[in-house]
Amino acid sequence: MRYALKRILCRLHWNRWLSILMVLEIAVGTGVFTYSLNLHYSLAKEENRIKRQERDLVLQISSKEGVMSEEVEALTWQDYQKIQQISEGEAYLFITVPGFYATGDQSYDYILLLADFEKLDLETDYAYWGSHVREIMDQDLLNDDALQNKSMPEMLDQEVWNTETEEIALQDCIAVPITYMEEMQEAIAPAWIHMEWDSRKMADAEETVRKIEGYLEETHGNAFNYRIYNPEIELSNNSEKVKTSIQAMNKAGALFLLMVFVGMTVIFHLLFEHRKESYGVSLACGADSRKLWKEIFGEILCLNGLGTITGSGTGFLLTYYLDLQIMIGYVEVAGDLRTVLWNMAVCSAASFMISLTIYRKLKRESIVRLLYGS
């Protein structure tokens, strides 16, 4: 094994410039392939996340240009009551206010969750603390003596709510009744307000949406824009162009790799002609043809492996640090382990196929013809 490894390293050294060129070419193709696959998996993950939402209609609130809306209320408790009347109790409102608390050498990031306790079957006299923030239950973070502290029910504590932009783990939350929004109205940013509906439970979803949007525009339309939409449909509409771009990039990377592997096959067939005498001497001395194939396979695998590792690492760096304006803004782009598995599979398959063609050529040659290069 050690002898075969030395022979492989020697051959790579003898053809070092050619080897470096092949490694770089493989790295370029693998890098593009990795980058496009990571984009593909990121988009698919976002599509699956949105599909897991219980409700399919979402309220979007945005500030109007040129209007100072910091001190203007985007949604009030009275608005929620009115919207509940319009939607016949189907509106689901919760507000997520990020918080931070530090004590000694420890710090806690938490979410103050204002929710409709009637829909969650919780008692309105309590503030419910998730398992990740129970250590600071004795701290007066709410400034409300009317609410007593209580551990969040285990079933609720394990839940993760999917919103149109994020996932909220309730174990990181301090849940208080939605009426608490009256006390901190001016501190609530529009982006923290989440109102949703299940259109399947509405008699006439389109008419209900029109009435709610009309009411909100009439009440707060001087400072904010209001729109109710279906995130799944919107993502599907916006992602068609994205998918086309990703597929084009994916095909470009795969085509480049195919050209590289075809080139490697040609190069190793030429190298075979130069190494005929060496193979003939090895066979004449008692070496097995399978042993020679393992050396050939090892040499090709080293080249492909180095190129694949370099390309995969580059592709992951591009995933996190290169923005080609391909993806939709709110889709989080991240690397995926499946891209590494794909690259390993392609690397192994290509190495096997190229070395197999050389082995079949070796098997057809006699020792005499190899020794005399005829």
Side-chain angles (χ1 to χ4, degrees):
M1 180 66 181
R2 185 178 298 177
Y3 174 73
L5 183 60
K6 285 183 178 180
R7 283 172 62 90
I8 291 171
L9 293 177
C10 285
R11 285 172 178 169
L12 291 175
H13 178 71
W14 293 334
N15 301 287
R16 55 186 174 276
W17 295 115
L18 183 60
S19 299
I20 291 173
L21 179 60
M22 285 191 285
V23 168
L24 289 177
E25 289 177 342
I26 295 168
V28 171
T30 304
V32 174
F33 189 63
T34 300
Y35 181 67
S36 61
L37 274 182
N38 282 338
L39 295 183
H40 167 76
Y41 286 129
S42 296
L43 183 60
K45 182 179 178 181
E46 180 65 17
E47 290 175 336
N48 291 331
R49 190 188 69 81
I50 289 178
K51 286 179 180 179
R52 293 197 302 270
Q53 289 183 232
E54 294 182 26
R55 290 160 285 275
D56 60 344
L57 296 178
V58 172
L59 173 66
Q60 181 186 62
I61 306 174
S62 58
S63 301
K64 288 190 172 179
E65 291 186 12
V67 177
M68 299 295 292
S69 57
E70 288 79 1
E71 299 181 358
V72 182
E73 299 170 351
L75 191 78
T76 65
W77 167 242
Q78 290 73 25
D79 293 333
Y80 178 52
Q81 291 178 307
K82 178 64 176 179
I83 292 170
Q84 282 286 41
Q85 293 177 8
I86 297 174
S87 61
E88 297 180 348
E90 293 301 329
Y92 193 91
L93 170 67
F94 60 95
I95 300 170
T96 55
V97 182
F100 175 81
Y101 177 76
T103 174
D105 59 348
Q106 289 187 315
S107 60
Y108 298 87
D109 291 307
Y110 66 90
I111 296 174
L112 183 61
L113 177 67
L114 287 68
D116 191 335
F117 276 17
E118 290 186 12
K119 294 183 180 293
L120 298 177
D121 293 325
L122 298 176
E123 299 179 57
T124 57
D125 295 333
Y126 291 94
Y128 292 86
W129 295 64
S131 57
H132 285 183
V133 289
R134 285 175 191 164
E135 294 182 25
I136 53 173
M137 280 180 66
D138 58 337
Q139 304 300 318
D140 188 18
L141 299 181
L142 302 179
N143 298 318
D144 192 338
D145 297 331
L147 295 175
Q148 302 178 53
N149 292 336
K150 193 173 186 179
S151 295
M152 190 175 293
E154 185 176 353
M155 290 295 294
L156 193 62
D157 185 71
Q158 296 175 357
E159 288 188 15
V160 177
W161 289 356
N162 293 301
T163 74
E164 70 279 12
T165 56
E166 61 181 330
E167 293 183 344
I168 301 169
L170 268 64
Q171 57 191 2
D172 298 323
C173 297
I174 304 172
V176 297
I178 194 66
T179 51
Y180 198 68
M181 67 187 293
E182 291 185 288
E183 300 182 26
M184 54 182 306
Q185 189 70 63
E186 294 182 359
I188 298 174
W192 301 341
I193 299 172
H194 306 274
M195 188 178 291
E196 305 170 352
W197 297 264
D198 187 346
S199 63
R200 295 164 295 186
K201 295 182 180 180
M202 296 180 180
D204 189 342
E206 187 175 338
E207 179 63 18
T208 302
V209 167
R210 188 187 63 78
K211 287 182 179 180
I212 294 172
E213 288 179 337
Y215 164 76
L216 290 172
E217 287 291 344
E218 182 181 347
T219 308
H220 308 281
N222 59 324
F224 298 97
N225 293 312
Y226 297 88
R227 182 173 73 102
I228 298 174
Y229 69 100
N230 186 310
E232 186 175 353
I233 294 176
E234 182 148 303
L235 179 62
S236 177
N237 293 337
N238 293 335
S239 64
E240 289 305 316
K241 185 177 180 180
V242 175
K243 289 179 179 178
T244 301
S245 300
I246 292 174
Q247 289 173 0
M249 192 181 303
N250 205 339
K251 290 177 181 178
L255 181 61
F256 189 85
L257 281 176
L258 179 61
M259 293 172 61
V260 171
F261 293 143
V262 170
M264 283 186 69
T265 304
V266 173
I267 289 171
F268 272 90
H269 274 276
L270 292 175
L271 289 175
F272 175 83
E273 298 298 326
H274 288 282
R275 297 173 179 173
K276 273 186 174 183
E277 186 176 348
S278 174
Y279 291 143
V281 171
S282 296
L283 291 172
C285 291
D288 185 75
S289 59
R290 291 186 180 181
K291 184 177 180 180
L292 295 180
W293 173 76
K294 289 178 182 178
E295 291 181 10
I296 297 169
F297 175 73
E299 182 181 358
I300 296 171
L301 186 62
C302 281
L303 292 172
N304 283 336
L306 286 172
T308 299
I309 292 171
T310 305
S312 296
T314 304
F316 269 77
L317 288 175
L318 293 176
T319 299
Y320 288 101
Y321 297 106
L322 178 64
D323 184 6
L324 296 179
Q325 302 296 320
I326 294 176
M327 297 296 281
I328 304 167
Y330 54 83
V331 176
E332 182 182 0
V333 179
D336 194 289
L337 180 61
R338 285 173 289 183
T339 61
V340 178
L341 298 178
W342 269 108
N343 289 336
M344 290 173 59
V346 171
C347 168
S348 301
S351 301
F352 180 80
M353 294 302 296
I354 296 172
S355 61
L356 186 62
T357 61
I358 305 300
Y359 176 70
R360 292 177 64 183
K361 193 171 184 178
L362 179 65
K363 288 287 288 183
R364 288 196 296 265
E365 300 283 353
S366 65
I367 295 177
V368 174
R369 292 183 63 184
L370 289 171
L371 287 172
Y372 292 96
S374 57

